Amino acid sequence: MSKKPLILGIETSCDETAASIITENEQGNPIILSNIVSSQVNVHKEFGGVVPELAARSHVEKINWIVQKAINESGKKITEIDAVASTAGPGLVVCLSIGLSFGKALAASINKPFIAINHLEGHALSPRLISNLDYPYLLLLISGGHSQFLSVEGLGKYKRLGTTIDDALGEAFDKTAKLLGVAFPGGPQIEILAKNGNPNRYNLPKPIFNKGGCNLSFAGLKTAILKIAKNIKTEKEKFDLAASFQKTIEEILYKKTKIAFRDFENRIKLKEKIFVVAGGVAANKKIRSMLINLCEEKNYKSIFPPIELCGDNAAMIAMVGLEKFKLKQFSNLDYPAKPRWSLDEEAAFLKGAGVRL
Ligand code: KG4
Ligand code: ZN
């Protein structure tokens, strides 16, 4: 039996300090030996969003013990690690720099290769951590930092079909929650409030609903909610606004996902139609069941990876590291942090926020 690579992944792009050790079995399928994530929700709660400087301080305080814990839980020794992979972007530059520097220093100290990873590539490949998933598949990534439809066609082969032109969907949930006086991160709370409300009470805008292909936009919604929230006097009105927001998001995602299916099918000849939904917002039960129904209607197989693998984590970073290690795609120790780093080089050069409407 040949020795299988042992990869340490490190993730500090936003408000999660994470480390993971993975390897693979004889069939080449990844095995997660440890996956440690320390969230900073409590650090940022009172500010209603992530404060970059506080996030960076927290990473500095935690990074050493999180990495130690990942190594201990894997049952391996630090000297057995074959490569260290750290997120280099996109994300908050002050946060990225911490995991990046720590990873480089650790790799140098054990005399092993260092591999810089695109965080979005981690999300794109994360479903392969749990299922023997063949390329290509369509990924909808909906989290606090990203909202995009991505055609995942192989390692290093990604085509962005659509993206948000302003706020990420999780951000829209969190901002709405803040306007309704709910603590950060408000997404899960909005879902709970919405259960008791009338979704038809408020008619909210659906930005770029009838244009822009499968691109998304949520900033206009926030402005509309701000105006309504100012005049809210009763709990009932609050529930109704949460329910109306939730319903509007479902309608936007239903329509835009249908367009993304069409674009995906036009782009590639498919043996099997596969749709993967990742990111924290995928935890929303109503969004989930709406998307599952849509997949049944359009003959897609739907995959929702467990939240610990589709929220920010380091196993997905180690997973890309493992693939790159096998191809000897190593990075130099002067590799920079890249706060903006599109997975799809072509998309990176489009106008404005990266989208042509
Ligand atoms: O992927 P994730 O865990 O991490 C980052 O983006 O860093 O996503 C977190 C986002 C937050 O904006 C949170 O409010 C949202 O996912 N979220 C939800 C739900 N659970 C988490 N949004 C709507 N409904 C939920 N049930
Ligand atoms: Zn992420």
Side-chain angles (χ1 to χ4, degrees), residues 119 123 143 146 312 316:
H119 177 87
H123 278 301
S143 71
H146 337 278
D312 285 352
M316 68 183 193

Side-chain angles (χ1 to χ4, degrees), residues 283-317:
N284 187 292
K285 292 194 187 61
K286 288 200 72 197
I287 291 178
R288 199 179 261 252
S289 66
M290 179 276 291
L291 290 172
I292 289 172
N293 288 341
L294 177 60
C295 283
E296 278 168 15
E297 193 186 307
K298 299 285 176 190
N299 293 320
Y300 270 75
K301 178 175 167 187
S302 57
I303 299 179
F304 289 80
I307 210 70
E308 64 272 18
L309 295 181
C310 67
D312 285 352
N313 68 86
M316 68 183 193
I317 302 305

Side-chain angles (χ1 to χ4, degrees), residues 31-324:
I31 303 171
I32 302 174
L33 299 178
S34 62
N35 187 20
I36 314 295
V37 182
S38 172
S39 166
Q40 300 176 0
V41 163
N42 289 333
V43 176
H44 305 290
K45 216 171 200 152
E46 63 178 294
F47 305 99
V50 177
V51 182
E53 194 187 316
L54 295 182
R57 281 188 200 196
S58 178
H59 287 310
V60 170
E61 285 163 13
K62 289 182 189 164
I63 184 88
N64 187 47
W65 73 262
I66 293 285
V67 170
Q68 287 298 339
K69 197 167 155 61
I71 296 170
N72 292 346
E73 283 197 11
S74 74
K76 303 286 180 183
K77 294 196 206 71
I78 193 166
T79 45
E80 291 177 84
I81 292 170
D82 293 300
V84 180
S86 291
T87 304
L92 299 165
V93 69
V94 284
C95 296
L96 289 165
S97 304
I98 292 153
L100 194 58
S101 302
F102 195 94
K104 287 176 182 176
L106 185 53
S109 73
I110 56 173
N111 205 16
K112 295 288 164 60
F114 171 73
I115 308 171
I117 307 290
N118 183 312
H119 177 87
L120 295 170
E121 191 164 19
H123 278 301
L125 298 197
S126 62
R128 294 169 58 82
L129 279 164
I130 41 135
S131 52
N132 213 345
L133 190 61
D134 278 337
Y135 302 114
Y137 51 88
L138 177 67
L139 176 81
L140 169 60
L141 176 58
I142 33 177
S143 71
H146 337 278
S147 298
Q148 50 185 260
F149 290 101
L150 205 63
S151 170
V152 182
E153 299 165 12
L155 180 73
K157 293 188 190 137
Y158 315 100
K159 174 72 185 167
R160 195 175 74 187
L161 302 177
T163 184
T164 177
I165 59 167
D166 38 56
D167 294 348
L169 182 52
E171 205 180 343
F173 267 95
D174 294 339
K175 285 178 175 170
T176 300
K178 197 176 173 188
L179 293 172
L180 293 180
V182 176
F184 171 82
Q189 303 301 325
I190 291 281
E191 188 178 9
I192 295 168
L193 294 182
K195 279 189 193 151
N196 300 313
N198 169 9
N200 300 317
R201 175 157 186 174
Y202 299 104
N203 192 11
L204 298 173
K206 294 186 209 118
I208 66 167
F209 196 62
N210 293 316
K211 60 176 180 176
C214 62
N215 289 304
L216 301 155
S217 166
F218 302 108
L221 254 167
K222 180 188 62 194
T223 316
I225 287 172
L226 175 67
K227 280 191 194 143
I228 301 168
K230 271 187 192 157
N231 299 314
I232 275 185
K233 296 194 179 55
T234 65
E235 284 290 285
K236 173 82 181 93
E237 284 172 317
K238 194 164 147 179
F239 296 154
D240 290 349
L241 187 50
S244 303
F245 172 78
Q246 166 85 38
K247 182 190 122 194
T248 307
I249 296 299
E250 284 166 40
E251 287 172 356
I252 294 171
L253 285 183
Y254 178 81
K255 172 148 184 189
K256 295 292 182 174
T257 304
K258 267 203 327 200
I259 298 171
F261 283 177
R262 186 202 61 198
D263 292 353
F264 183 50
E265 288 159 36
N266 285 342
R267 180 175 165 76
I268 293 187
K269 205 167 170 339
L270 299 166
K271 267 193 280 173
E272 192 183 14
K273 299 181 193 173
I274 303 170
F275 182 50
V276 182
V277 189
V281 186
N284 187 292
K285 292 194 187 61
K286 288 200 72 197
I287 291 178
R288 199 179 261 252
S289 66
M290 179 276 291
L291 290 172
I292 289 172
N293 288 341
L294 177 60
C295 283
E296 278 168 15
E297 193 186 307
K298 299 285 176 190
N299 293 320
Y300 270 75
K301 178 175 167 187
S302 57
I303 299 179
F304 289 80
I307 210 70
E308 64 272 18
L309 295 181
C310 67
D312 285 352
N313 68 86
M316 68 183 193
I317 302 305
M319 165 86 198
V320 184
L322 176 65
E323 299 288 329
K324 291 191 171 231

